[in-house]
Amino acid sequence: MSKKQVVNYFIGGFLVLTLLFALNTVKAQNGLTVSARLIVKKGNLDGAKVTVTEKGNVLQTLTAGRRGIFEFMLGYDSEYIIIFEKPNYITKKILIDTHVPDNFKREVERVTGFDVVLEKQSEDAIKVYENPVAKIMYARDIRDFAYDTDYRLKVLKEIEEQNKKLAEEKKRKEIEERERKKEEERQRLLAEAQKRKAEEEAKRKEAEERQRIKEEQLKKEAEARRLAEEKARLERQKKLEEQKRKAEEEARKKAEEEARRKEELRKQEEERLRKEQERIRQEEEAKRKAAEEAKRKEEERLRKEAEQRRLEEEKRKLEEQKRLEEERKKAEEEARKKAEEEARRKEELRKQEEERLRKEQERIRQEEEAKRKAEEEARRLEEERIRKEAEAQRLAEEAKRKAEEEARLKELERLRKEAEAKRLADERRKEELRRIEEEKARKEVERLKREEEERIKREQERKLLLEEQKKRDAQLRLKLVAEKMSATIGKEDADQVVTLLAPEDIAKRYTRERTDEVIRLPRIIITRTVFNRNNKITFYTRIDHEYGRVYYLKDGYFISKEQYLAETKK
C-alpha cells in the first residue's frame, strides 16, 4: 500500500467504528475490499455471523472465526447492507455505498475496514435497530471512502428519541404499578373492615342466643314455681275441707284464719312478683345502658378510625407532593446537564472534524505542490470552498443546536404541566375516594343505629310478651294473646289476631280433633295447629318473621323445634 489512514468514531457507547482507507499500487479485482472485525461484548463469538446483502438479496453469509475478522469484496456502483448478528445480542447493520465518479481509478486496490461491537439485549435498551447504525460512502473532498457524518448524527438522534420513549414508558409502568399497589392496599383494608364487621355480627348473634337461652331458663323456672305453688294450694284446700267435715265450728275459725293467712300470702306473693318484676326491669335497664354504652364506644371508635385515616391520607398526600417536586427538580437538573454535555460533545466533534479537514487540506496542498505547481491555484480555490462549507456546516449545527435546546425547554415545560395536571387529578381522585369512604362510614353508622333501634324494639316486644305470659290463665283468649305477642311487630297485627280468635268462638271454630291453618300478616306468617281432645284445646304455633327468626310455641310458651315437630306430627 502507498498510504493508510485510520479514523475512530464513537456512537453513544454502542458502536466503535474504525475506517481503514488504503490505496494499493498493484492491480486488483474491480471492487472494494472490506475487512471487518466483530467484537462481542461480555461474550464469545459462538453463533455470530455476518450477512452481506444487496437490494434485499443475500450475497453471502460468513461465520466468525477465532479472531472475529471477516473479509469480502463489494462491487462498485451499488449499495450493500452488512448485517452483524448473534443470538441474544442486538443486531447491527452497516450501509456501504460503493457509487464512485467516472474518473475514479477502479483498477487500484482499495481496502476499508472497521470494528463492530455487539451488546446483549437489555430490558432498558433498544431491542432492534431498524436502520443501519453507520454509513460508508465515497467522499469527493478526500477522493476516497469515508464515514458519513450527517448520517451518524441522524442515527444518534433517532436512538436518543427511542431511549427517551423507553424511559417514559418505564416511568409510566412504575406509576401504574404504584397505583395498582395502592388499590390492592385499599381492597385489603376494605376486606379487613368487612371481616371485623362479620366477627362483630357473629358476636352479637351469639350474645342474643345466650340471652334467649337465659330467658327460656328463667321462664321455665317461673313456670315450675307456679306449678309448685298451685300444687301446694290444692293440698291446703283439701286439708281444710277434711277438717271442715270433722268440726264445722273449728273449720269456720280455721277458715277465717286461713282466709287471713291467704290474704297475707297473696300480699306476699304480690310483693314477690312486684320485686321480681322490678328486678327484671332493673336488669333490662342495665342491659339497655350497657348496649347504649357499647354503641357509643363503637361510634367513637369509628370516628377515631375515620379521623386517623384522614390524617394519614393528608400526610401521605404531602409526602407524595414533596416527592414529585423533588423528582421534577432532579429531572430538570439532569436534562440541563445532559444538554450541556451534548453541546460540549458536539463542539469537540466539530473541532476534531475541522482539525482533520485542516490537516487533510494541508497534506493535499503539499502533495499537489510537489507534483504540479500549475494546480496550486485550483487547490487554493478548493480549500477556500471547503472552508466555507465547514463554516456553513458549523453555523447550521449551531442553529440546529439552538432549535433543539428550544424544543427541549418546551418539552420540559410540557412535561411539567402534564405532571401538575396529573397531580391535581390525583388529588381530586383521592379527595373523591376519601369522601366516598366517609359516606360509607356514615351509612354504616346509620345502619348500625337502625339495627340497634330494631333490636331495642324487639327487646321491648319480648318484654311485653314475658309480661303477658305471667298473666296467662285458663282463658284461651289470653293464650292467643301470649302466642301472638311472641312474634308480633305492631299492635295492629296483635289486635287482628285476637279479633280473629275470640274465646267465645273457640269451641265452635275448632270442633275437629286437629285443625291446621295459616295466617299471613304484613311482616309475619303464623302457622297454627289446634288439637281438640275431649273439649280440651291445645295450640301449637310456628311464627316466621321477615328478619329470618323462627319461633315455636305451645299454648303461648316457647318450646324447641324438636318438641314442636314431635307433638304436631301427623
Side-chain angles (χ1 to χ4, degrees):
M1 296 182 182
S2 61
K3 48 193 169 179
K4 180 174 69 174
Q5 295 177 331
V6 179
V7 183
N8 295 323
Y9 295 96
F10 302 91
I11 304 178
F14 68 85
L15 172 66
V16 178
L17 178 64
T18 303
L19 295 181
L20 305 176
F21 307 104
L23 297 176
N24 274 352
T25 57
V26 298
K27 295 296 182 178
Q29 296 181 7
N30 189 15
L32 176 66
T33 300
V34 178
S35 178
R37 183 176 64 168
L38 178 62
I39 300 172
V40 178
K41 192 173 182 180
K42 295 182 180 180
N44 52 43
L45 294 169
D46 295 343
K49 65 179 181 178
V50 175
T51 303
V52 181
T53 65
E54 180 185 15
K55 298 178 182 179
N57 299 319
V58 177
L59 299 182
Q60 57 180 319
T61 300
L62 307 174
T63 56
R66 185 172 59 85
R67 298 175 58 192
I69 296 177
F70 303 86
E71 287 191 359
F72 47 87
M73 180 173 289
L74 303 178
Y76 288 118
D77 299 326
S78 185
E79 284 189 356
Y80 302 87
I81 293 180
I82 317 302
I83 304 172
F84 298 83
E85 55 188 336
K86 174 181 169 64
N88 300 323
Y89 282 76
I90 302 174
T91 299
K92 294 178 182 177
K93 304 173 185 176
I94 305 295
L95 173 61
I96 300 179
D97 187 349
T98 61
H99 289 87
V100 293
D102 294 338
N103 59 354
F104 181 78
K105 297 180 179 180
R106 300 170 182 255
E107 69 278 4
V108 177
E109 180 183 13
R110 283 176 170 80
V111 179
T112 181
F114 49 85
D115 293 346
V116 176
V117 178
L118 295 185
E119 299 171 335
K120 262 190 172 298
Q121 292 280 9
S122 173
E123 294 182 357
D124 299 329
I126 301 174
K127 297 297 182 182
V128 177
Y129 295 122
E130 297 293 342
N131 299 317
V133 297
K135 180 180 180 181
I136 298 172
M137 61 183 296
Y138 183 79
R140 295 178 180 273
D141 53 351
I142 63 173
R143 301 176 184 179
D144 209 337
F145 287 89
Y147 177 70
D148 190 339
T149 305
D150 293 338
Y151 185 85
R152 175 180 61 82
L153 295 175
K154 178 181 176 182
V155 170
L156 279 174
K157 184 176 179 181
E158 291 177 354
I159 294 175
E160 183 178 0
E161 291 177 353
Q162 292 177 5
N163 285 332
K164 183 178 179 181
K165 290 180 180 179
L166 285 174
E168 292 176 351
E169 179 67 16
K170 182 180 179 182
K171 186 175 182 181
R172 182 185 65 79
K173 290 181 179 179
E174 290 176 352
I175 294 174
E176 290 178 352
E177 180 66 16
R178 288 199 298 270
E179 292 297 327
R180 183 186 66 77
K181 290 182 178 179
K182 290 179 184 178
E183 179 64 19
E184 289 179 353
E185 180 66 14
R186 189 184 72 80
Q187 292 294 336
R188 184 184 68 78
L189 293 176
L190 181 60
E192 289 180 355
Q194 292 176 349
K195 181 180 179 181
R196 287 197 301 271
K197 178 182 174 183
E199 290 175 352
E200 292 171 357
E201 179 67 16
K203 289 179 180 178
R204 184 184 65 79
K205 290 183 178 180
E206 183 179 356
E208 289 181 354
E209 182 65 18
R210 286 198 301 268
Q211 181 65 20
R212 183 187 65 79
I213 294 173
K214 183 178 179 181
E215 291 171 356
E216 290 183 357
Q217 183 65 25
L218 291 174
K219 179 179 70 61
K220 291 179 180 179
E221 292 176 357
E223 179 65 14
R225 287 196 297 271
R226 186 187 66 79
L227 293 175
E229 291 170 357
E230 181 69 16
K231 183 178 180 181
R233 186 182 65 79
L234 292 174
E235 290 176 353
R236 288 194 297 270
Q237 184 178 358
K238 183 178 180 181
K239 185 177 180 180
L240 288 174
E241 290 176 354
E242 183 66 23
Q243 290 175 354
K244 183 178 179 181
R245 285 194 299 269
K246 292 180 179 179
E248 186 175 354
E249 182 61 26
E250 185 179 356
R252 183 182 63 78
K253 292 179 180 181
K254 288 182 178 181
E256 291 175 356
E257 180 66 22
E258 183 68 18
R260 184 185 62 78
R261 190 175 65 80
K262 283 183 179 181
E263 181 64 21
E264 291 178 355
L265 289 174
R266 184 185 64 78
K267 291 180 180 180
Q268 292 175 0
E269 181 66 15
E270 289 179 352
E271 181 65 18
R272 187 187 67 77
L273 292 174
R274 185 186 64 78
K275 290 180 179 179
E276 181 68 15
Q277 292 175 354
E278 180 64 19
R279 182 183 65 79
I280 294 174
R281 184 190 66 77
Q282 291 177 354
E283 289 180 355
E284 297 298 331
E285 181 66 18
K287 291 178 182 178
R288 182 186 64 79
K289 290 181 178 180
E292 290 178 353
E293 180 64 17
K295 176 185 175 184
R296 183 187 64 77
K297 289 181 179 180
E298 180 64 16
E299 290 178 351
E300 181 66 17
R301 183 183 67 79
L302 291 175
R303 184 188 66 77
K304 288 181 179 180
E305 288 182 356
E307 181 65 16
Q308 181 67 21
R309 285 195 299 273
R310 184 185 67 78
L311 293 175
E312 290 177 354
E313 181 65 18
E314 289 180 356
K315 181 179 179 182
R316 190 184 62 74
K317 284 166 61 179
L318 290 175
E319 292 177 352
E320 180 69 11
Q321 184 177 1
K322 183 178 178 181
R323 185 186 63 77
L324 290 175
E325 182 65 20
E326 290 177 353
E327 288 182 355
R328 182 186 66 78
K329 291 180 179 179
K330 184 177 179 181
E332 291 179 353
E333 181 64 19
E334 290 178 353
R336 183 185 65 77
K337 290 180 179 180
K338 185 177 180 181
E340 291 176 355
E341 179 64 22
E342 180 67 16
R344 185 187 62 79
R345 188 179 62 79
K346 288 183 178 180
E347 183 64 20
E348 289 178 355
L349 289 175
R350 185 187 63 78
K351 289 179 179 180
Q352 291 176 3
E353 182 69 14
E354 287 181 352
E355 180 65 18
R356 185 188 67 79
L357 291 174
R358 186 187 64 77
K359 290 180 179 181
E360 181 67 17
Q361 291 167 3
E362 182 64 20
R363 183 188 64 79
I364 294 172
R365 186 187 64 78
Q366 292 175 359
E367 192 174 86
E368 294 298 326
E369 180 70 19
K371 290 181 180 180
R372 289 185 303 274
K373 292 182 179 181
E375 295 177 359
E376 179 63 28
E377 184 64 18
R379 276 198 299 273
R380 187 185 64 78
L381 293 174
E382 182 68 14
E383 289 174 357
E384 183 65 18
R385 182 187 65 78
I386 293 174
R387 186 187 64 77
K388 289 181 180 179
E389 288 179 355
E391 181 64 17
Q393 182 179 2
R394 186 186 65 78
L395 293 175
E397 288 181 353
E398 182 68 19
K400 183 178 180 181
R401 185 187 64 78
K402 291 182 180 179
E404 290 176 349
E405 181 67 16
E406 291 177 357
R408 184 186 66 80
L409 293 175
K410 289 181 180 179
E411 181 65 14
L412 288 176
E413 181 64 17
R414 183 185 65 80
L415 292 174
R416 187 189 65 78
K417 290 181 179 179
E418 288 180 356
E420 181 66 15
K422 185 175 182 181
R423 183 183 65 79
L424 294 175
D426 288 343
E427 290 181 355
R428 289 194 294 270
R429 182 179 61 79
K430 292 172 183 176
E431 182 63 20
E432 180 67 17
L433 290 175
R434 185 188 63 78
R435 185 188 65 77
I436 293 173
E437 290 294 333
E438 291 180 352
E439 181 67 14
K440 288 173 64 177
R442 183 185 65 78
K443 291 181 178 180
E444 180 67 13
V445 171
E446 291 178 356
R447 185 187 66 78
L448 293 174
K449 183 178 180 180
R450 288 196 301 270
E451 290 181 355
E452 182 64 17
E453 290 175 352
E454 291 174 357
R455 188 192 66 77
I456 293 174
K457 185 176 180 181
R458 292 196 301 270
E459 189 70 17
Q460 292 173 350
E461 292 171 351
R462 187 186 60 78
K463 291 178 183 179
L464 292 175
L465 177 61
L466 290 175
E467 291 176 1
E468 289 297 328
Q469 288 177 339
K470 291 178 182 178
K471 298 177 182 178
R472 180 181 174 276
D473 56 14
Q475 297 181 13
L476 186 58
R477 180 182 181 83
L478 295 181
K479 290 183 181 180
L480 294 173
V481 172
E483 175 186 320
K484 176 62 188 71
M485 291 302 292
S486 66
T488 186
I489 297 300
K491 184 176 180 304
E492 181 179 356
D493 294 339
D495 294 338
Q496 183 177 0
V497 172
V498 172
T499 303
L500 291 172
L501 299 175
E504 55 269 25
D505 296 332
I506 288 176
K508 297 179 180 179
R509 184 177 181 86
Y510 302 107
T511 57
R512 294 181 297 174
E513 181 178 356
R514 177 185 176 122
T515 302
D516 295 304
E517 61 182 8
V518 177
I519 300 175
R520 299 181 182 274
L521 298 176
R523 299 175 68 179
I524 59 176
I525 298 176
I526 300 175
T527 304
R528 178 176 289 111
T529 300
V530 184
F531 292 94
N532 186 347
R533 299 186 178 96
N534 299 324
N535 292 326
K536 182 179 180 181
I537 306 298
T538 304
F539 282 83
Y540 292 89
T541 306
R542 169 176 170 163
I543 301 173
D544 294 86
H545 197 278
E546 70 174 2
Y547 292 148
R549 296 294 297 272
V550 180
Y551 302 94
Y552 301 92
L553 299 98
K554 176 181 179 180
D555 291 341
Y557 291 96
F558 288 104
I559 62 174
S560 65
K561 178 180 179 181
E562 291 75 15
Q563 180 181 353
Y564 173 85
L565 295 175
E567 295 181 5
T568 60
K569 184 176 180 181
K570 294 184 178 180

